[in-house]
Amino acid sequence: MATSFICTNVGNAEIVEKKSRFIANVVPINSEEDALLYLAKIKKEYWDARHNCYAYITFDQSIKRCSDDGEPSGTVGKPMLEVLQNRNIYGICVVVTRYFGGILLGTGGLLRAYQEATIKGIENAGIAELRLGYKTSWSINYDEYGKFNFLCEKLGVYKIDTQYLDKIKISVVIPISEFETFKFKVLEESSGKIKPTEMEKVNFVLIDKKVVLV
């Protein structure tokens, strides 16, 4: 299955092609409403620009839209959307604003300029791999914590919350690929005493080596 990515932070870029300025603005979105609100913001900010072309894909991939916004039909909106689709990036809206420089670029020139601006905007934004895992909770005796922590580090399990009470209450996120191995190893090391008390399937990304649930 192809790796998927989501947008996690804003980004922007600018290129100049034959005196025309192409300004790309990228933002994370969850819904089409988020995208439309952002488009309205950009159009207000760049009110004097000739074109504000865009492409967006919602986080759940259910809605994909693009617009040439006055450029020749089919020349820029669809190629911008294809950049997002080819890179499997979701939850993202890209708007490329053009200030016309007085020189016509032709169909091929327009396509290249808008795609280049889109790519540079994405590269300057926060893009993270979307992963699937289990968020689980565990109740552990203090003398068992060392082994549990060792297994977390060895198998790429991410601790997201730890509470030191009568027992240690730990919440972790386990990648799907490591779940069965981790559960088996914990049961084996604890002689069957340590089992997850809660479990739910989650999507998550790593940002600065920290887990963020999405």
Side-chain angles (χ1 to χ4, degrees), residues 65-158:
R65 301 273 190 268
C66 62
S67 171
D68 300 308
D69 194 36
E71 295 283 23
S73 178
T75 59
V76 297
K78 187 175 179 181
M80 289 172 61
L81 184 61
E82 287 173 350
V83 171
L84 306 184
Q85 292 175 313
N86 290 341
R87 295 181 177 220
N88 294 318
I89 305 175
Y90 311 118
I92 186 171
C93 177
V94 182
V95 187
V96 177
T97 300
R98 180 190 183 190
Y99 284 94
F100 184 55
I103 301 174
L104 297 176
L105 301 183
T107 300
L110 283 174
L111 185 152
R112 287 190 296 273
Y114 276 95
Q115 282 197 326
E116 181 182 351
T118 298
I119 291 168
K120 288 185 178 296
I122 291 170
E123 290 174 346
N124 291 335
I127 304 296
E129 181 182 346
L130 184 63
R131 305 184 184 196
L132 185 62
Y134 285 103
K135 178 186 174 186
T136 62
S137 298
W138 307 73
S139 181
I140 301 171
N141 290 326
Y142 280 79
D143 61 353
E144 297 167 329
Y145 178 71
K147 288 182 178 179
F148 185 88
N149 190 54
F150 171 77
L151 289 174
C152 286
E153 294 177 354
K154 181 180 179 181
L155 297 174
V157 173
Y158 306 99

Side-chain angles (χ1 to χ4, degrees), residues 10 40 52 57 98 108 140-141 199:
V10 298
N52 287 290
I57 303 176
R98 180 190 183 190
I140 301 171
N141 290 326
M199 184 173 72

Side-chain angles (χ1 to χ4, degrees), residues 29-94:
I29 62 167
N30 286 318
S31 64
E32 185 167 37
E33 182 181 9
D34 291 343
L36 296 177
L37 287 171
Y38 187 66
L39 287 169
K41 176 179 178 292
I42 290 294
K43 288 180 179 180
K44 184 176 181 180
E45 182 176 351
Y46 298 98
W47 60 271
D48 56 340
R50 179 170 291 193
H51 308 283
N52 287 290
C53 303
Y54 63 81
Y56 61 82
I57 303 176
T58 55
F59 176 76
D60 64 2
Q61 305 175 46
S62 63
I63 300 175
K64 303 174 184 180
R65 301 273 190 268
C66 62
S67 171
D68 300 308
D69 194 36
E71 295 283 23
S73 178
T75 59
V76 297
K78 187 175 179 181
M80 289 172 61
L81 184 61
E82 287 173 350
V83 171
L84 306 184
Q85 292 175 313
N86 290 341
R87 295 181 177 220
N88 294 318
I89 305 175
Y90 311 118
I92 186 171
C93 177
V94 182

